[in-house]
Amino acid sequence: MTAPTYRRPLPPAELLLASTQQWLSATPGRIATDPDSWMQAVLWAKDHYKASRSHGPRKMGHTTLLLAQELKALSECRPGLAYLMRKLRAKKRTIEYHLEMLREAGLLVYRSVGTRIAGGISLASVYERVIPVEFDTAHQVRTVLEEGAPLYRRRPVGMADKYRTAMGKLAKRAARKVHRPSPKTVRQQPGRCTPMSVGTSGISTAGTSTSPSESKLASGTSRSSAPPIPVKPRRKGLNAVGRRFQLANELIQQLPWLSRASIPRIAWIVKDVADAGWTAVEVIALVSQEIIPARVYRPSGFLAQRLRGAHRHTPAMRLAMVAWWRESRQAQRERRIEWEGDWQPPTSRAVARQVNEAVTKMRSTAQDQAVDAFPAGQDGLADLDKLTREEVIDLRAAADKDPLLIDLTITYCGEDYARRLYTNQRVDQAARLRSTGHLTLHHEGAAA
């Protein structure tokens, strides 16, 4: 049996629905097949509606579209006033005005009116999203009505060809999100009137065929729901403060005596040289111009004293300092000590024994070469009286770093010779370390 075509009356002079027709059972409109179709009708009615009241807003505006967007997202159109006030950041009276305009335009109808009982439970009104008959008439949308179904259950089946372009434009506008004019983000609060899920109506549609969307009635154009591709923002370079903190972090990582310093404090100290374009290598080269003490008690103060007036150096002076630092014997010795200072002895006894044997063999060869380099006396040993003061200081400094040299000297040259060369204090200390049975490759002692 072919479904009869419903013939609509001519539209009224104004898009205005009486209060008695603002109920689902009395409305001349039809239930929207999907939220996007209803949003198309809202956008069309915005340009044709004019309120009958003498106070409050007379036309639909941006707030009306924001309200319609919130109603569109609800599975069951049962919004509470508190929920709409929070989402739109508007007053209660403003929400009531715009809900009234949507009802007068035939876009919302009551399914049930909420209750406001003092001391009892307050229930929100339940609405149904409706497409006015004036919208269908203006676009010549053809609808059919199932036999025995109520009038508001009509379904769209087609439209006039000359209105397809206009309907397609409305579909594109309905797909775009309506943004709030204020850039501030709405603070999300717990609780809402209805959960969001799929569907637009609480009425069962069993036994009826699926209704097409009005947006699909337009020819040739299909609305894409894919979000726009975000544009990756460009990463900006470091500003002056960022360069200061970057230089301070590099210095703390590369200078052992700055390891416990505070990055913000060091950044404040190096602010002048950082602003002048200095690198960490240039700062280290400048600091290494003079001998650095074995222990720095105030690292930040020591660094500030070394960098005083350094920002006035020319680029040529900075290049010369870096070249000197890289070629100097002092810098090489400091880098070697820094590398060896982080070495930890092995915990395994077997590995410690192998390391001891390798180190003993290496030190024996080095000691033989050192003895051969000095002038020998009648007993075949190096003549200590002919050693210069600098050579004696270097030998004792080497023994402070590696006590095994003292043991090797005692083995090959005798204890008296070792005590004359390294002093009694160092020989006794090496004996104490030897009696403990622990492997000791590096030991820092007092300078001779």
Side-chain angles (χ1 to χ4, degrees), residues 374 383-395:
F374 297 118
D383 191 354
L384 299 180
D385 296 334
K386 295 183 180 181
L387 295 178
T388 63
R389 176 178 175 81
E390 289 76 11
E391 291 173 345
V392 173
I393 291 176
D394 291 341
L395 289 174

Side-chain angles (χ1 to χ4, degrees), residues 331-399:
Q332 294 177 3
R333 187 185 299 111
E334 290 177 354
R335 288 193 291 270
R336 178 176 60 82
I337 294 174
E338 178 183 351
W339 178 83
E340 292 178 351
D342 295 334
W343 187 87
Q344 297 294 334
T347 57
S348 174
R349 292 185 177 180
V351 176
R353 183 170 57 255
Q354 295 177 5
V355 173
N356 268 326
E357 293 175 357
V359 172
T360 302
K361 183 178 180 180
M362 179 183 65
R363 295 305 181 189
S364 298
T365 304
Q367 182 66 21
D368 293 341
Q369 295 176 355
V371 170
D372 294 340
F374 297 118
Q378 296 179 357
D379 53 358
L381 302 177
D383 191 354
L384 299 180
D385 296 334
K386 295 183 180 181
L387 295 178
T388 63
R389 176 178 175 81
E390 289 76 11
E391 291 173 345
V392 173
I393 291 176
D394 291 341
L395 289 174
R396 291 178 179 178

Side-chain angles (χ1 to χ4, degrees), residues 251-253 255-263 265-266 295 299-300:
L251 292 176
I252 290 176
Q253 292 179 358
L255 294 176
W257 47 275
L258 275 180
S259 58
R260 295 186 179 182
S262 172
I263 293 181
R265 183 173 182 83
I266 301 301
R295 183 173 183 180
S300 58

